[in-house]
Amino acid sequence: MKNLLLQIFTWWNGQTIGTRFFTWRSGKKIGEDEFGNVYYEGPETSFGVPRRWVIFNGPAEASAIPPGWHGWMHHRTNVAPSQENYQPREWEKAHKPNLTGTSGAYRPKGSLAGAGERPRVTGDYDAWTPGS
């Protein structure tokens, strides 16, 4: 029941009522990825390409779409990873979600959000002062 209320009153949790209705009415399930996201295809858009969408398993986060499905979603390929034996190339890195805003976010050395103190300024820098 809680999940249904979240879907009714928020757009970032799973699917909205409009998406649920559109999926029920004209969506064809194409496949599912390892994260539980479900991919659909529907009627053609005004550009003549089929409409494609994803219903996320959890919060709607575009970075949660793996590379193989990303290519299919953006019409770079017409063959979905579920319809072929998709294997990532050796140079493709494993998918990592966007951690911005979380405790796992990248904080480089010297960042105000990072731990520790900034290093002292070395002699190759002169601060500007008015009138100099």
Side-chain angles (χ1 to χ4, degrees):
M1 181 67 172
K2 178 183 174 189
N3 194 22
L4 179 63
L5 291 175
L6 283 174
Q7 289 180 7
I8 291 172
F9 294 108
T10 61
W11 59 264
W12 57 87
N13 286 297
Q15 59 183 322
T16 63
I17 294 299
T19 304
R20 183 185 296 263
F21 178 75
F22 187 75
T23 301
W24 168 76
R25 185 161 164 87
S26 51
K28 175 184 165 200
K29 183 178 176 182
I30 300 299
E32 191 171 328
D33 65 20
E34 62 268 23
F35 303 112
N37 301 325
V38 184
Y39 298 86
Y40 292 91
E41 192 168 63
E44 288 188 355
T45 66
S46 58
F47 299 114
V49 295
R51 183 180 306 270
R52 294 176 177 168
W53 68 95
V54 58
I55 296 179
F56 292 97
N57 179 21
E61 173 59 52
S63 70
I65 297 176
W69 282 102
H70 182 271
W72 179 81
M73 287 285 294
H74 293 276
H75 299 278
R76 293 184 177 159
T77 179
N78 286 328
V79 181
S82 63
Q83 297 170 343
E84 67 177 357
N85 187 15
Y86 176 78
Q87 295 296 320
R89 310 232 188 240
E90 65 274 356
W91 46 264
E92 287 182 318
K93 293 184 177 182
H95 173 71
K96 289 187 354 184
N98 183 356
L99 299 175
T100 303
T102 69
S103 61
Y106 173 68
R107 293 179 174 87
K109 184 177 177 183
S111 167
L112 295 176
E117 290 187 29
R118 291 183 59 129
R120 298 257 328 137
V121 176
T122 60
D124 63 345
Y125 172 79
D126 291 324
W128 176 82
T129 55
S132 63

